Structures are given as structure tokens and as C-alpha cells.
Amino acid sequence: GDPGGGLGPRGSTRYPAGYAHYVIAADQTGLPAAERWIEEAPRGAGLDVFILVPAAGAARTLPFPPRLRRPGLPPDAGADLGAAAREAAMTAGLSSCVWAAAEATALAPLRRLLPREGFERRQLSLHGYWKAGETDHHEHARAATG
């Protein structure tokens, strides 16, 4: 009979404003966050979205605005999510922001190569939500401990 409460997903992250272009990349684990990024993208900005899902039947309708350049990766293409996002970021140039959430090693090329190409840390929001072959992966805890 005690009252209970609940909290939803954190919404404390503010959308980075002031970029001419946004690159959004996610595998199936990052879909909810990718949807938020798509919905909150500034109206005047360009938008490239790459969503990698395991099978065509697993795809769901996303809030793609009319200005979207690429509607995503074919689910059976075996495409490299990190490489696709890197290519889009390089095409859009240094006035873009890159957000990605996927398997940690898939994002390693983005973490390594985009800063070499002139992207600043504030332009990159890369999240390894999981890691193949590893249980209980905690990207932020690992980064804090070295």
C-alpha cells in the first residue's frame, strides 16, 4: 500500500546547437536515443542518419524529417556503421556534429580518426552501449578508471 514513484530515461543531455549538419548513427541498441536526436535536430541543419538493424523485419518507422539525406543502412548490407558515419561527417565537413550509439568496437574508428581530421571533442558524442564478447560492459566506468 505504500506509494511508489518512477523515473524515466535521463533527459539531462542538451542537444548541441549551432551546427550546420548532424550525423546520427546507431545499431538497434541505440534506436531510442537516435529517435530523440532525429526529432530534436534543428530545422535548418542537414541530417544524415545511419541505423543498422539485424534483419529487415526488425526495422521500425523512425521520425525521418524531409531534409534527411540518407534514410539509413540496408539491414542486410553488413555495412560498417562507423565507416558510414565517418564518411558522412567528412563529406559534411567540420561544421558538423556526430552522435553515435552502438557496439563499442564499431565506434573505435570514429574516436580515433575524426579528431585527426580536425573534429573537436565537443563535436563528437560517441557511446559504446555494448561490447561483443563482454558482459556487463560499462563504457563510462572504464573511462573513469583508465
Side-chain angles (χ1 to χ4, degrees):
D2 291 337
L7 299 173
R10 278 186 2 182
S12 60
T13 302
R14 295 184 56 108
Y15 204 95
Y19 293 99
H21 198 89
Y22 294 83
V23 176
I24 299 167
D27 64 11
Q28 192 172 14
T29 63
L31 278 177
E35 288 175 337
R36 177 179 174 222
W37 276 77
I38 294 166
E39 290 173 351
E40 293 183 12
R43 286 198 186 271
L47 190 61
D48 278 314
V49 175
F50 300 95
I51 304 295
L52 188 59
V53 293
R60 70 185 200 214
T61 303
L62 294 173
F64 292 125
R67 69 183 180 283
L68 184 68
R69 265 198 335 194
R70 299 172 206 182
L73 297 172
D76 58 353
D80 180 351
L81 188 66
R86 178 180 177 266
E87 179 185 334
M90 295 306 300
T91 300
L94 294 177
S95 62
S96 60
C97 178
V98 180
W99 177 88
E103 195 275 333
T105 57
L107 302 181
L110 291 175
R111 291 183 197 280
R112 186 177 63 252
L113 299 173
L114 288 179
R116 289 182 191 167
E117 300 289 348
F119 284 82
E120 296 178 22
R121 182 179 218 157
R122 65 179 172 79
Q123 292 174 268
L124 306 175
S125 184
L126 310 174
H127 308 278
Y129 279 3
W130 63 285
K131 189 169 185 178
E134 188 176 305
T135 58
D136 204 25
H137 176 73
H138 295 288
E139 173 184 69
H140 298 291
R142 183 165 288 117
T145 61

